[in-house]
């Protein structure tokens, strides 16, 4: 991708070089240890291009995508001889059947793969890569601007990258949670929840409008994590989350389940069961959900998808159907307050209050 560069000599200087302006600050040292690269080619890990989780750079995709294919094939082979649930087996289940919290927990019985569903997920990944490439120049400039105006240099410390991983994971929790609580942001994220199956291909069902929440991660360059370090932390966070999208792995030992995000915890997040809505937002560490009151253990079988599914395998419709629904609701609403409510209210918000706070998946329609 071509990045337009200024022809001035000044633009070629490393961004952490001591400035000659009266705004020079000792917080921006000229040393090279934490400099942001002077071009996007200075690091093999490019700054995130607006995806949430972090975007996969097209060059990285050449290495990562074959690994996805191999692991999906292995998962399908593992699941091949296991007993399967009947697809749609919970469609007629009562609320009590879906949400009974009593133990023992239901055994894990997979739904498995379906060709059209998997192809749709791969189409969503392809669209995600294209969308991220389209906004890369803008988001890269935003990240570099934030780093130039940083108020600390946390990335230059001995444990700088460990701090970056922890910071990204914490911010990811809130990014993910807000995408479930604000309808405009949910319109981007809903595509990831649109599959009624749950396997490694579901992890690749990535949204196309991630730039909407790029701002959530700006505290990282402002605190002195270079754009390259920020992106690397985001990429590792994204790759960690890949393996939790599976029914081939049951619950792990209790100490692991207590601290880490696992397949069991994330299956809950993809559930339309009433008690599973808006739960388990974690990226790597499930402790954020336990600290902020959004944790729910896996007990009942998970009804994957949305409470009202969209019944399509068309990637374009998967990516944009909720934006279209928002536009329709805005046109039909009277008054500025009601129009804004359809954009910034909780998913399911209505002027009368009906549906407000009922969880993000209630808003999706099939028309």
């Amino acid at each position: 991708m071509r990045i337009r560069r200024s022809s001035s000599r000044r633009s070629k200087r490393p961004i952490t070089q001591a400035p000659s302006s009266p705004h020079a600050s000792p917080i921006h040292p000229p040393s090279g240890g934490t400099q942001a690269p002077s071009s996007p080619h200075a690091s093999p890990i490019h700054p995130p291009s607006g995806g949430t989780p972090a975007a996969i750079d097209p060059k990285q995709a050449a290495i990562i995508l074959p690994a996805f294919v191999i692991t999906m094939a292995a998962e399908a082979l593992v699941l091949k001889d296991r007993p399967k649930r009947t697809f749609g087996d919970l469609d007629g289940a009562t609320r009590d059947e879906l949400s009974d919290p009593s133990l023992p927990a239901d055994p894990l019985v997979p739904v498995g793969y379906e060709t059209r569903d998997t192809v749709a997920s791969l189409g969503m990944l392809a669209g995600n890569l294209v969308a991220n490439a389209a906004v890369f120049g803008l988001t890269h400039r935003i990240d570099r601007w934030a780093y130039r105006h940083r108020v600390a240099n946390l990335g230059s410390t001995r444990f700088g990258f460990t701090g970056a991983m922890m910071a990204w994971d914490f911010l990811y929790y809130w990014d993910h949670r807000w995408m479930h609580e604000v309808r405009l942001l949910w319109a981007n994220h809903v595509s990831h929840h649109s599959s009624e199956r749950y396997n490694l291909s579901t992890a690749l069902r990535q949204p196309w409008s991630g730039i909407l929440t790029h701002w959530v991660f700006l505290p990282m360059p402002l605190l002195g994590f270079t754009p390259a370090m920020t992106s690397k932390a985001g990429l590792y966070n994204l790759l960690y989350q890949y393996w939790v999208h599976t029914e081939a792995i049951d619950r792990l030992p209790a100490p692991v389940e207590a601290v880490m995000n696992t397949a069991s915890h994330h299956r809950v997040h993809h559930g339309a069961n009433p008690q599973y809505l808006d739960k388990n937002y974690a990226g790597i560490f499930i402790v954020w959900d336990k600290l902020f009151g959004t944790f729910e253990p896996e007990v009942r079988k998970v009804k994957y998808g949305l409470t009202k599914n969209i019944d399509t395998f068309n990637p374009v419709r998967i990516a944009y159907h909720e934006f279209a629904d928002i536009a329709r609701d805005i046109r039909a609403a009277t008054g500025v307050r009601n129009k804004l409510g359809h954009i910034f209210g909780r998913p399911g918000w209505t002027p009368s209050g009906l549906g407000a706070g009922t969880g993000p998946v209630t808003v999706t329609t099939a028309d």
Side-chain angles (χ1 to χ4, degrees):
M1 177 179 176
R2 296 180 62 188
I3 303 297
R4 186 175 65 184
R5 292 185 174 90
S6 169
S7 60
S8 70
R9 293 172 59 88
R10 182 183 178 92
S11 67
K12 297 178 182 179
R13 284 191 267 173
I15 64 173
T16 52
Q17 184 172 344
S20 58
S21 73
H23 301 290
S25 168
I27 203 73
H28 299 140
S31 60
T34 60
Q35 290 178 354
S38 58
S39 81
H41 304 293
S43 168
I45 305 295
H46 292 182
S49 51
T52 309
I56 300 175
D57 182 87
K59 293 181 180 179
Q60 298 161 349
I63 300 174
I64 296 172
L65 293 183
F68 288 162
V69 173
I70 293 170
T71 51
M72 285 190 294
E75 180 191 35
L77 187 63
V78 168
L79 295 176
K80 181 179 179 181
D81 296 325
R82 292 190 185 180
K84 303 289 194 306
R85 287 165 52 181
T86 302
F87 182 72
D89 59 337
L90 297 178
D91 287 351
T94 66
R95 184 183 181 91
D96 288 341
E97 290 172 335
L98 290 172
S99 300
D100 182 3
S102 60
L103 295 173
D106 292 334
L108 176 61
V109 182
V111 179
Y113 277 85
E114 197 273 340
T115 301
R116 294 172 301 171
D117 179 80
T118 301
V119 170
S121 295
L122 294 174
M124 291 300 299
L125 177 62
N128 173 267
L129 294 174
V130 172
N132 288 333
V135 299
F136 174 78
L138 173 61
T139 55
H140 181 55
R141 286 192 293 273
I142 292 172
D143 292 340
R144 286 168 59 84
W145 177 90
Y147 186 71
R148 284 197 301 270
H149 292 82
R150 62 195 183 275
V151 297
N153 280 299
L154 298 185
S156 64
T157 64
R158 181 179 179 183
F159 300 103
F161 186 64
T162 299
M165 289 293 295
M166 294 298 296
W168 181 282
D169 201 55
F170 175 76
L171 293 173
Y172 175 80
Y173 168 86
W174 288 105
D175 169 69
H176 198 178
R177 180 169 176 169
W178 290 333
M179 285 193 292
H180 280 248
E181 295 178 346
V182 178
R183 190 181 180 191
L184 178 63
L185 306 184
W186 170 246
N188 170 61
H189 184 60
V190 65
S191 57
H192 185 64
H193 284 263
S194 59
S195 177
E196 296 179 64
R197 296 175 182 271
Y198 191 79
N199 50 58
L200 291 176
S201 75
T202 308
L204 308 183
R205 192 172 284 223
Q206 292 295 311
W208 295 0
S209 306
I211 194 172
L212 287 172
T213 58
H214 185 76
W215 57 272
V216 176
F217 298 95
L218 288 181
M220 294 192 64
L222 288 172
L223 290 172
F225 298 106
T226 67
M229 182 180 287
T230 298
S231 182
K232 188 175 181 180
L235 178 65
Y236 287 3
N237 193 287
L238 172 64
L239 293 178
Y240 178 90
Q241 292 182 59
Y242 175 68
W243 76 269
V244 302
H245 291 81
T246 185
E247 292 182 301
I249 300 174
D250 207 331
R251 295 159 183 83
L252 297 178
V256 179
E257 296 279 348
V259 177
M260 308 300 294
N261 188 21
T262 65
S264 176
H265 295 328
H266 203 63
R267 284 192 292 266
V268 165
H269 180 70
H270 277 255
N273 311 48
Q275 87 276 23
Y276 291 164
L277 297 179
D278 303 332
K279 301 295 183 181
N280 297 6
Y281 298 117
I284 296 178
F285 297 105
I286 198 66
V287 292
W288 307 125
D289 287 284
K290 295 183 177 182
L291 283 172
F292 298 116
T294 53
F295 174 71
E296 186 71 26
E298 182 183 28
V299 179
R300 300 282 71 85
K301 285 191 296 184
V302 181
K303 184 180 187 297
Y304 301 112
L306 308 168
T307 58
K308 188 175 182 182
N309 289 298
I310 56 176
D311 300 322
T312 183
F313 299 106
N314 183 332
V316 175
R317 188 163 174 232
I318 293 171
Y320 294 126
H321 71 273
E322 185 62 15
F323 289 105
D325 287 349
I326 290 175
R328 180 201 61 202
D329 290 341
I330 291 172
R331 287 195 302 268
T334 57
V336 174
R337 181 178 179 181
N338 290 336
K339 292 181 183 294
L340 292 176
H342 285 301
I343 302 173
F344 300 108
R346 289 187 65 91
W349 180 91
T350 65
S352 65
L354 297 176
T358 57
V361 290
T362 59
V363 73
T364 306
T365 62
D367 44 61

